[in-house]
Structures are given as C-alpha cells and as structure tokens.
Amino acid sequence: MPNGAHLLLVDDDPDLLRLLSMRLTANGYRVTAVGSAEAALARISIQLPALVISDIRLPERDGMALFQQIRSQWPALPVILLTAHGTIPDAVEATSLGAYAYLTKPFDAKVLLERIEQALALTAPSAARTTGDEAWRSEIISRSQSMAELLAEARLVAASDASVLIRGESGTGKELLARAIHRASRRAKAPFIAVNCGAIPEQLLESELFGHVKGAFTGAVTSREGLVQAADGGTLFLDEIGDMPLLLQVKLLRVLQERVVRQLGSDAGRPVDVRILSATHRDLDAAMLEGQFREDLYYRLNVITLTLPPLAQRREDIGLLATQFLQMLAAKYGKVVNGFAPDALEALTRSSWPGNVRQLYNVIEHVCALATAPLVPLSLVQRALRVPTLEVLSYTEAKQRFERNYLVQLLKLTDGNVSDAARLAERNRTEFYRLLQKYDLNASQFRGDGNPVADERQE
C-alpha cells in the first residue's frame, strides 16, 4: 500500500462517510469526504486524489454521471463504485466503461481495502514504488493541478510499452517528462537515449540513429553502433520528431514495425527491444496534410498523447520554480542570494513567459549572476525580463536630474572647458559655476589629463 495515498470518498450518508473515513485513516490513508458529485468535482479540481470511492446514488447528479466526468477529465484517476442491489446493472456498465471495481452494500471492509490497494498498485508502476513515491518525477517541480493531472496520466502510461507523443511549446520540459516516464517504467535500469532530430544535420542523422558499417560512406573508417541500438532494452526519446526528414521517417517506421535495425551500408538486421517516446512543438496534423510527415509513422508514434501546459497556464508554479532555480544557481556561482523581494516575485509571476520554463531558468541565471544582495530586487528582474523600468519622479526631482545630466553632457562635449560649456548653454561663466557647485561637479574631472583648464586657473 502506498503510504499516505489521498482518497476521496463521495456519499450522501454522513454516518457511512464517518465510518469509512475512520477505517481508511486507521490504515494509513489520507481521506477527504464529501456528500455530493458537485463537491467531489470541486475537490478534484483543487487537489487530484489517488483514488475516488463513490456511491452510485447521490443527490442531484448521481455517481454514474460523476464517474463519466472523471473518465472524461481525469482518465488516469481510478474509481471504485459502491452500489445497492437496485443499481448493480449501472455498476456493471460502469466497470465495462473503465471503473476499477464496484462493491455491493453492505460490503466487507477487508475487501474494500484489498480493492483500494489493487487499484493504487495498478496506477503506480513498480519502479516508482521501489525508489520512493515521487522519485520518478523528482526533476519536475510543480504544485499546479494541470501538472498533477498530467503526471498522473504519465505514471499510468509508464507501466506499458506504448509509444508516447509528448506535445508542448518549446521550453515546457518535454525531455524531463520523457525521462520521468522512463524512470517510472520497467525499463528504468536500462539506457535512456535522447536525440534531437532538429539539431543533427540530415546527412548525419541516419548514421547517428541506425549506425553504419565500415566503408558505408566516405570517412566511415570503422563500424559504429547507432543510437537505436544503444537504447536496446531501454527508451529512445526522439525530440522534435516533426523535423525528421521524410526518408528517415520511412526507416524509423520499419524499425518500429519489424523491431529490427539495419546499419547504413549493411543488409543484415539486428533485433532491438526499444520503447519510443517522441516530442514536438510542431502541429503534426498540419504537417501530414502538407506531406511533410508520414501518416503511418504518426499513428505508430501517437499511441498515447501527453500535452505539457505552457508556463503561463501554471502560474502557481512560477514562484516555486524561480526559488528552486535561484538556490541551485547561487550554489553554482558561490553567491549568497536567499530569495526575491516581494515585488520582484510578483513581476516574475505576472510575466507572459513565451519561452516557458527554459526562459524562466535563463532569467533567474541572469539575476543570480548580477545579484549583489541577499534579496533579488525588482529592478534586476525587470532588467532580466527586458521590461522598461517605470519610475515616477516629482517635478523637482525630474528637473534636477535633467539639469545634472545636461551639465555633464556639456562638460563632456567641451572636455571640461567651462567657457565653452557656458557659451553653449547661453549662460555667463559665473552662473554656470553656480550650477556646477549646486550639483557638486568639477570641470577638471572632464579633462582627458585630469588637469584644470586654463580659464579655470584664471578664476
């Protein structure tokens, strides 16, 4: 039994809710109990449980309607239904549609505990259970509901060998999700090989993927194993699969169909056992219509689709990510930087983040490298975000700033010659000197040699 798993109980009988809550809590589970389908949907939206246990007979919206909505919105969330004799046909239908199990009231508490353990075991791959409940997704920092739902699906998918297509904008963390799926799978101890199909020149990609024999092409002085072979027994992650040339798409399709890889320049095939995870930020449906992506390969790769939300849709994660990145980078650079000023953190949270998590990391690296105090100020965050600083000055402050900058520019222009500067300003020298004294400016500092100009010595 996963220790402390969160269960959601749904029943309009308060006595039954109280009794079940006590028994399940005594067995190490965290329990939330509600009395209606609407309340259950609200709780799931706030925090995704590990399992839902619901009565079929509920006020207003019944348990079947609740189950159907859970299937639609959270397909990886297991559901156990409680039913009276009159609703057994409904419960049987629900199990055929994907409910994990149903129990007839009055039910044996021991049987319920067994069904709960079995349901949780089904949705928690063995690799994840043996390395700690959250170890498989340790690189993915999040507390948002949308990511919790995605990770629940990813963990369920990890138990199979089905090909997975990961969609999402650039910088959302597609490779991190692929690595998490690999760690939660039965292949966790075998290699995870990542290939960026858009970063390798077309003429080299075939050799990189499938390998080559000696003499296969000019410069092939030795035979070389490809990355598909290197991933044998494990997982091959093909990033930016939408950029793969059509010729190589055909060869990859053959590998997926035959489970055999042929090196460039060889007719002999070698069996491979490899799971394919792929990712793209491109619209592959549009690419198929344009003839840029093979339809048969698309359906081989797209057995299951997982879509990463952009950072702007998970704003509750921005502060968490920013703080984590700051701690990592401060240690890397040997800086004493402990956190963000409140207005700086607010600016990070409100930013649009078109580059997603990758852009956030770059911004935090920028502010960490330039930070000179334990708290990162708003101005430094604005500079890293390239946001113009809006500073509202009083009329007097604005006038003083203008005069000071104006005097400095005149002295630079005249190399510190007060007579020339006063003439350009259309002021007499005495008035000009008063202005310099007002702003504590010394004309001699603007000479190239640092010596006073002749007309100053005559004063």
Side-chain angles (χ1 to χ4, degrees):
M1 176 188 70
N3 186 31
H6 179 209
L7 310 182
L8 177 63
L9 303 183
V10 192
D11 202 305
D12 61 343
D13 183 343
D15 294 331
L16 181 60
L17 278 183
R18 190 179 307 108
L19 178 61
L20 273 180
S21 296
M22 290 173 59
R23 286 179 176 173
L24 294 174
T25 301
N27 281 272
Y29 293 106
R30 292 182 296 112
V31 178
T32 298
V34 297
S36 69
E38 294 300 333
L41 292 171
R43 295 298 305 187
I44 295 172
S45 297
I46 296 169
Q47 182 181 16
L48 193 71
L51 173 72
V52 175
I53 303 170
S54 174
D55 191 8
I56 285 186
R57 285 185 175 174
L58 295 171
E60 298 178 4
R61 185 189 304 206
D62 64 20
M64 282 295 292
L66 171 62
F67 163 71
Q68 289 168 353
Q69 186 154 349
I70 290 174
R71 283 295 91 189
S72 174
Q73 290 187 249
W74 304 282
L77 180 57
V79 178
I80 294 176
L81 294 172
L82 306 179
T83 176
H85 286 286
T87 55
I88 287 178
D90 288 337
V92 172
E93 180 188 357
T95 54
S96 70
L97 295 174
Y100 179 74
Y102 73 90
L103 297 177
T104 305
K105 294 180 180 179
F107 51 84
D108 188 325
K110 182 178 179 181
V111 174
L112 175 61
L113 289 171
E114 289 175 354
R115 294 292 184 273
I116 291 171
E117 289 189 29
Q118 291 165 1
L120 294 177
L122 179 67
T123 57
S126 58
R129 293 199 304 275
T130 56
T131 57
D133 195 48
E134 299 298 321
W136 70 283
R137 50 147 297 179
S138 58
E139 291 182 323
I140 301 176
I141 303 166
S142 177
R143 60 186 173 201
S144 74
Q145 179 70 10
S146 60
M147 285 297 292
E149 294 166 13
L150 176 68
L151 290 170
E153 292 184 23
R155 190 168 181 176
L156 187 60
V157 164
S160 73
D161 262 350
S163 297
V164 181
L165 177 63
I166 303 173
R167 298 177 183 266
E169 297 177 5
S170 294
T172 49
K174 295 186 287 292
E175 184 173 339
L176 289 182
L177 182 59
R179 289 183 182 277
I181 293 171
H182 172 74
R183 281 196 297 270
S185 74
R186 65 177 181 82
R187 299 174 179 268
K189 295 182 180 180
F192 175 90
I193 305 294
V195 185
N196 190 321
C197 300
I200 303 174
E202 180 177 347
Q203 60 271 26
L204 297 179
L205 184 57
E206 181 177 4
S207 174
E208 286 292 316
L209 282 175
F210 308 116
H212 62 260
V213 297
K214 181 179 179 180
F217 52 85
T218 304
V221 295
T222 60
S223 296
R224 181 182 176 187
E225 184 180 72
L227 295 175
V228 175
Q229 296 162 299
D232 191 19
T235 303
L236 179 67
F237 174 58
L238 299 173
D239 197 7
E240 299 304 344
I241 188 68
D243 294 335
M244 178 175 282
L246 282 168
L247 177 62
L248 294 190
Q249 291 179 30
V250 176
K251 296 190 175 184
L252 176 61
L253 178 63
R254 187 179 300 121
V255 170
L256 294 177
Q257 291 173 334
E258 301 174 2
R259 295 292 171 179
V260 171
V261 63
R262 292 177 177 82
Q263 290 179 300
L264 188 61
S266 172
D267 294 327
R270 170 182 161 182
V272 289
D273 171 25
V274 62
R275 183 186 194 175
I276 302 293
L277 305 179
S278 54
T280 183
H281 73 280
R282 292 186 59 189
D283 185 346
L284 292 188
D285 297 283
M288 282 193 298
L289 292 175
E290 295 168 0
Q292 298 299 312
F293 202 86
R294 292 183 61 94
E295 185 176 0
D296 45 9
L297 177 60
Y298 174 81
Y299 289 115
R300 281 279 183 175
L301 297 174
N302 191 29
V303 176
I304 298 168
T305 298
L306 298 176
T307 303
L308 277 159
L311 187 57
Q313 291 181 12
R314 39 184 289 219
R315 293 193 179 275
E316 59 268 56
D317 287 341
I318 294 173
L320 188 67
L321 287 163
T323 302
Q324 180 77 9
F325 292 159
L326 187 67
Q327 292 173 354
M328 293 166 47
L329 292 164
K332 175 182 176 181
Y333 292 130
K335 303 288 287 284
V336 181
V337 188
N338 302 324
F340 299 89
D343 53 357
L345 196 57
E346 182 180 359
L348 289 171
T349 304
R350 291 184 175 182
S351 184
S352 59
W353 300 113
N356 294 293
V357 180
R358 184 183 295 122
Q359 181 191 5
L360 175 61
Y361 183 89
N362 290 341
V363 165
I364 303 308
E365 186 166 22
H366 180 126
V367 301
C368 184
L370 296 179
T372 58
L375 282 182
V376 175
L378 173 62
S379 59
L380 197 50
V381 167
Q382 289 176 326
R383 175 177 173 180
L385 289 170
R386 295 179 174 85
V387 175
T389 302
L390 179 61
E391 185 179 10
V392 180
L393 302 175
S394 68
Y395 174 80
T396 300
E397 290 172 329
K399 180 182 177 182
Q400 290 174 345
R401 182 174 295 188
F402 171 79
E403 284 186 343
R404 183 186 301 108
N405 292 338
Y406 176 71
L407 293 171
V408 167
Q409 291 302 319
L410 285 177
L411 291 172
K412 285 182 177 179
L413 185 63
T414 60
D415 288 330
N417 188 305
V418 175
S419 297
D420 291 344
R423 186 165 52 254
L424 289 172
E426 298 182 357
R427 292 290 184 270
N428 61 54
R429 287 172 57 193
T430 301
E431 184 182 358
F432 197 84
Y433 270 117
R434 289 199 190 100
L435 286 171
L436 295 181
Q437 291 172 358
K438 177 180 177 181
Y439 294 106
D440 198 22
L441 293 173
N442 187 340
S444 65
Q445 295 173 340
F446 294 85
R447 292 282 314 271
D449 57 8
N451 294 321
V453 294
D455 64 300
E456 289 183 292
R457 291 197 300 267
Q458 295 170 0
E459 286 295 321

